[in-house]
Amino acid sequence: MKRYSFFILVFSLILVACSDGKLSSSRAKELVEDSLEAKPLYETAHFSLGEVRYRTQKDGDKIKQLKKLEEDDYISIEELKVKKKWLSNDSVWVVNIKCTDKALPFITELKENRAKVKTIEYILTEEIQIEQKNEKVATIIATLQKKETPFGFLSKKNNVQDYIQKKFKAKYQEKEWILTK
């Protein structure tokens, strides 16, 4: 009887040791979520603060976006002066722009006259593919959806695609899967 229990114990240890090498899709998704939570992916642009001059016709679209940001309470705009340019259809709009507390989650860097703001944030979708090369190494391909922030109009890129794919390298170490750089 002791001999059989010894063989059963050894056999079950071998089964457990062999089954740990496969990366499950739920564990892969968990690894990617933890990585994105620790270091979120986003695109940024610079935003002028303080006294700024705009031309009412040339910068008309930007002025509309700034007024919308003010309505939504992301920035405060203090109009200093509006003056008509001589022999021109265009006017100069001089304003003092300040960020409000509501804009803080979107600001990555703040200086005296300039702020670096998030324009697009990437959010994990349900789609995850796993390419496992062997028992110790795998590549996780995650599909991330683009989400435009209130400062999205500052983005200079043409956002043709709504999704991107990002690869994460995973490694099996000490009985668990971890992401590597």
Side-chain angles (χ1 to χ4, degrees):
M1 186 69 174
K2 289 181 182 179
R3 201 180 282 176
Y4 290 119
S5 61
F6 175 74
F7 286 123
I8 291 173
L9 178 65
V10 169
F11 183 71
S12 42
L13 285 175
I14 290 171
L15 283 177
V16 169
C18 292
S19 65
D20 284 345
K22 182 86 170 121
L23 178 61
S24 68
S25 61
S26 62
R27 178 63 182 147
K29 185 174 181 183
E30 189 177 299
L31 287 171
V32 172
E33 285 174 344
D34 292 345
S35 174
L36 290 175
E37 188 175 312
K39 191 175 178 184
L41 289 175
Y42 51 82
E43 293 179 16
T44 60
H46 291 283
F47 182 66
S48 298
L49 299 174
E51 189 174 313
V52 184
R53 298 171 192 271
Y54 295 105
R55 292 194 208 152
T56 54
Q57 287 184 346
K58 182 180 176 188
D59 301 323
D61 292 337
K62 194 167 191 176
I63 290 171
K64 286 178 188 174
Q65 294 290 340
L66 290 172
K67 288 184 178 183
K68 178 156 178 29
L69 284 175
E70 184 183 31
E71 287 175 16
D72 295 340
D73 200 31
Y74 289 106
I75 60 172
S76 66
I77 299 175
E78 177 188 347
E79 190 173 296
L80 300 177
K81 61 183 166 181
V82 177
K83 64 180 183 178
K84 178 92 167 110
K85 287 183 112 186
W86 190 62
L87 294 174
S88 174
N89 293 336
D90 215 354
S91 298
V92 176
W93 187 51
V94 183
V95 292
N96 187 15
I97 301 174
K98 295 179 184 175
C99 290
T100 63
D101 292 341
K102 192 174 178 182
L104 288 178
F106 303 107
I107 296 174
T108 60
E109 185 181 314
L110 186 61
K111 293 185 179 176
E112 187 73 27
N113 59 353
R114 195 164 108 174
K116 191 174 184 181
V117 293
K118 297 177 187 176
T119 56
I120 294 175
E121 296 176 318
Y122 293 99
I123 299 167
L124 180 66
T125 63
E126 297 296 319
E127 257 185 72
I128 288 185
Q129 299 170 5
I130 301 169
E131 294 176 357
Q132 192 157 354
K133 299 185 184 349
N134 56 38
E135 290 116 24
K136 302 262 182 197
V137 178
T139 301
I140 304 167
I141 302 170
T143 303
L144 304 172
Q145 182 177 9
K146 290 182 179 183
K147 178 185 172 196
E148 195 170 289
T149 68
F151 297 93
F153 70 94
L154 296 170
S155 181
K156 293 178 182 166
K157 296 180 181 177
N158 289 337
N159 296 321
V160 178
Q161 297 293 329
D162 291 338
Y163 298 92
I164 64 165
Q165 286 192 331
K166 176 140 174 73
K167 291 183 179 183
F168 296 88
K169 302 284 185 189
K171 194 173 191 180
Y172 189 71
Q173 287 182 342
E174 299 175 15
K175 297 186 180 181
E176 71 174 345
W177 283 95
I178 59 169
L179 287 182
T180 60
K181 292 184 180 183

